[in-house]
Amino acid sequence: RELAHSSRRAAAHEPESRHNMLLLTCFAVHLEPRLATRAHAAPLFDPLGLEQVQPTAQAHHQLVPAGGAMVAALAAARPEAALAKGGEYGIFEGRIVSLAHPAVMAMMYAATAWAAFTGYQWRQLREIGNQITELKDRKKKHESQLKVLADGEAEAAPPALTAELASLTSQIDELTTTRKELASSDLRAKHYQVGSVILGLGTAFAIEGPVNTFLRAQKLFPGPHLYAGAGVVVCWAMAASLVPLMSKGKDAARTAHIAFNVLALGLFTWQLPTGWDITLKVIKFTKFP
């Protein structure tokens, strides 16, 4: 048992031992010329004749190639230490983490489309009340005209006036039903929640993508996909910054909010082909996990 335990400890410390040996060898190669120069520069006090043990210049020239060969052997035995790249970040260079960016951004694209739909419905719900009010005002005018005609003992109301009054009543009923349906959907809360997810998770993984690329390739690849992605994140931030003004009823802020989100959705859609090509390359050049 003690022998097996010692073997396991030796195996566990083997990489550290190799690294220490490499440092010692490099130090010896660097120090040897200084020792040889000092030995030939001036005689030393050596009553016991120990100076004969010092290596000569010829021995030094033999030691340097031997040290270089040992360094090369140790570097070959531990290539990750020599190259300082290739797997040093572990799972963060693997396929799972590398595919997290395209997977999450695909969900963010769907969330952006859903946010646009709920935002449009919420705007429709906010404006439908004004439409109903205008139709009711027009209906009252027509009803007043019919009352005047009835008081004047007219034989019959004009058919056009009666048809228009019926049309106004039908439109009011239809819009009232639509408003009840939209109000029951709690669109404002849904739009706010999905917008918060896009702003938080989408921004985080928009940054994670270039970071992961740098970990794997030790460089970035500036191009249309990267620039469009940066534009999408900026549009998200600008749209979110207008929410306080929108809550105060500023129509200009609402219009700008819609414009930024439409631009973000357009850039996002334009990114899809290049994003798909990059995803295929990630699958090709990475391994699990």
Side-chain angles (χ1 to χ4, degrees):
R1 290 183 181 177
E2 294 180 354
L3 181 59
H5 183 65
S6 300
S7 300
R8 285 195 298 270
R9 287 193 301 174
H13 293 284
E14 183 178 357
E16 183 178 356
S17 301
R18 290 180 179 178
H19 183 64
N20 294 335
M21 184 177 295
L22 176 61
L23 294 177
L24 290 175
T25 304
C26 294
F27 179 77
V29 172
H30 178 70
L31 186 62
E32 184 62 25
R34 300 182 179 181
L35 294 176
T37 303
R38 184 177 298 176
H40 290 80
L44 299 177
F45 179 74
D46 188 17
L48 299 179
L50 297 178
E51 185 180 2
Q52 298 178 0
V53 182
Q54 298 293 334
T56 62
Q58 182 178 2
H60 163 66
H61 290 298
Q62 294 177 354
L63 177 61
V64 172
M70 184 176 296
V71 171
L74 290 174
R78 194 182 180 195
E80 66 276 8
L83 299 177
K85 62 185 296 187
E88 66 179 277
Y89 297 107
I91 193 173
F92 295 102
E93 296 183 47
R95 184 173 296 175
I96 294 177
V97 177
S98 299
L99 291 179
H101 173 78
V104 173
M105 298 314 289
M107 292 188 291
M108 292 302 100
Y109 181 78
T112 302
W114 173 250
F117 176 71
T118 54
Y120 171 76
Q121 286 191 316
W122 170 245
R123 184 178 180 86
Q124 184 181 8
L125 176 61
R126 191 177 58 253
E127 294 178 349
I128 202 171
N130 297 330
Q131 297 176 8
I132 293 175
T133 301
E134 292 178 1
L135 291 174
K136 286 183 177 180
D137 291 340
R138 292 173 56 187
K139 182 181 178 181
K140 287 180 179 179
K141 291 180 181 180
H142 292 315
E143 289 176 344
S144 298
Q145 293 177 4
L146 288 176
K147 186 178 181 181
V148 170
L149 292 174
D151 293 342
E153 296 181 357
E155 295 181 356
L161 185 60
T162 305
E164 188 173 357
L165 184 61
S167 175
L168 290 174
T169 303
S170 176
Q171 292 180 38
I172 292 172
D173 294 339
E174 182 179 354
L175 290 176
T176 301
T177 303
T178 302
R179 182 171 64 176
K180 290 180 180 179
E181 293 176 355
L182 293 176
S184 63
S185 300
D186 198 11
L187 295 171
R188 184 178 183 180
K190 291 179 180 179
H191 185 72
Y192 181 82
Q193 290 170 358
V194 71
S196 300
V197 171
I198 293 171
L199 184 62
L201 194 62
T203 302
F205 276 86
I207 297 174
E208 184 272 345
V211 171
N212 177 262
T213 300
F214 187 82
L215 291 179
R216 289 185 289 106
Q218 298 297 307
K219 63 179 180 179
L220 295 178
F221 300 93
H225 188 82
L226 184 62
Y227 299 145
V232 169
V233 174
V234 170
C235 288
W236 286 343
M238 295 299 295
S241 68
L242 295 170
V243 172
L245 294 176
M246 293 168 58
S247 62
K248 295 180 180 180
K250 302 293 184 179
D251 289 333
R254 292 193 180 102
T255 302
H257 177 83
I258 294 172
F260 278 122
N261 280 299
V262 170
L263 179 59
L265 184 58
L267 290 174
F268 217 152
T269 304
W270 185 69
Q271 270 191 310
L272 294 179
T274 54
W276 177 248
D277 292 339
I278 295 172
T279 301
L280 294 179
K281 291 180 181 179
V282 169
I283 296 174
K284 180 179 179 181
F285 295 107
T286 58
K287 298 180 180 179
F288 283 109

